[in-house]
Amino acid sequence: MRKISFALLAVTFLSVGGCATSPPEDPENLCAIYKENRDWYEAAVNTREKWGVPVHVPLAMMYQESSFKHNAAPPMEYFLGFIPIGRASDAYGYAQAKTMTWDDYVRETGNSWSSRSDFDDAMDFMGWFIYKTHKINGVSKWDARNQYLNYHEGWGGYKRGTHRQKPWLIKVADKVDKRSKRYAAQYHTCQENLDSSWLWRLFFG
């Protein structure tokens, strides 16, 4: 009985480990990202169909937040340089979603089995957030710069203009915007190929 339990435990660990995907080899190229990880493109298309969010905007924001690391988290802070006292925030995963905001997402969408370290769930979360930003603050779903500012400051913070007192954040948002536009241009060159591949997987799996 103990041997069976151990075997089941080993299979569980292997299954969990298998869910983790390494960051893309060429994170600056949308076509390369989605060709390397076809499931990611499927998640992006699903997000587009569900939330009306273009495939390049959440990808650009996600790269800034986590560099596509499934277990990304803010760096550990230390007292006296060597005593760990915790992290600056509880942000975690591909989308660097904070626990409170993630809980809001789960409550509103009913996606109770979601995980911040799962790309599909993280992409859906970002689609939800971008959709809500458009509804609450009127920011276009294609406006990566101001979408990112909302993502960083929260809807209330953006409305109050807290980002205007943070020149460093404005620079980061501009960086996200440039990457988003570059991703969009790249997407035009490979969308047909990605879509044909996606449809093939959809029907013939």
Side-chain angles (χ1 to χ4, degrees):
M1 192 70 176
R2 289 179 64 185
K3 288 182 178 180
I4 294 174
S5 298
F6 179 79
L8 289 173
L9 188 63
V11 169
T12 301
F13 277 118
L14 286 171
S15 298
V16 172
C19 294
T21 302
S22 300
E25 293 183 6
D26 186 4
E28 297 293 343
N29 189 305
L30 176 144
C31 297
I33 292 170
Y34 285 144
K35 286 177 182 176
E36 182 180 346
N37 298 290
R38 299 287 180 166
D39 290 344
W40 286 16
Y41 184 60
E42 183 177 345
V45 170
N46 289 339
T47 297
R48 181 180 64 197
E49 294 178 350
K50 182 177 180 180
W51 302 108
V53 175
V55 301
H56 58 277
V57 172
L59 197 73
M61 293 168 60
M62 187 181 289
Y63 181 23
Q64 182 61 44
E65 290 297 283
S66 68
S67 297
F68 302 121
K69 296 175 183 175
H70 75 280
N71 60 351
M76 182 67 70
E77 295 185 341
Y78 296 87
F79 177 67
L80 299 178
F82 65 94
I83 302 174
I85 58 174
R87 302 184 187 277
S89 81
D90 59 9
Y92 180 76
Y94 282 112
Q96 283 295 275
K98 294 181 180 179
T99 301
M100 184 180 297
T101 311
W102 187 269
D103 289 345
D104 288 341
Y105 157 75
V106 170
R107 186 177 63 255
E108 290 190 16
T109 62
N111 193 9
S112 56
W113 293 100
S114 59
S115 168
R116 287 181 284 182
S117 60
D118 181 272
F119 184 88
D120 290 29
D121 292 333
M123 182 63 77
D124 189 64
F125 167 80
M126 297 191 88
W128 167 83
F129 195 98
I130 291 169
Y131 170 82
K132 296 263 294 187
T133 296
H134 175 63
K135 286 193 67 176
I136 294 170
N137 284 330
V139 176
S140 168
K141 299 171 188 176
W142 279 259
D143 183 354
R145 180 182 186 276
N146 287 294
Q147 283 287 346
Y148 183 77
L149 290 172
N150 273 268
Y151 199 75
H152 194 278
E153 297 296 280
W155 299 307
Y158 178 85
K159 192 171 290 186
R160 294 191 302 273
T162 56
H163 54 284
R164 298 192 186 99
Q165 284 73 51
K166 300 177 180 179
W168 63 269
L169 177 58
I170 298 296
K171 290 181 180 179
V172 174
D174 288 339
K175 183 179 178 181
V176 172
D177 189 54
K178 288 179 181 177
R179 178 175 293 116
S180 177
K181 289 174 179 174
R182 185 167 65 250
Y183 277 172
Q186 292 166 348
Y187 185 50
H188 283 303
T189 70
C190 64
Q191 181 179 1
E192 185 176 351
N193 178 269
L194 288 170
D195 284 343
S196 61
S197 175
W198 175 70
L199 288 171
W200 177 268
R201 284 164 55 84
L202 182 66
F203 289 107
F204 303 104

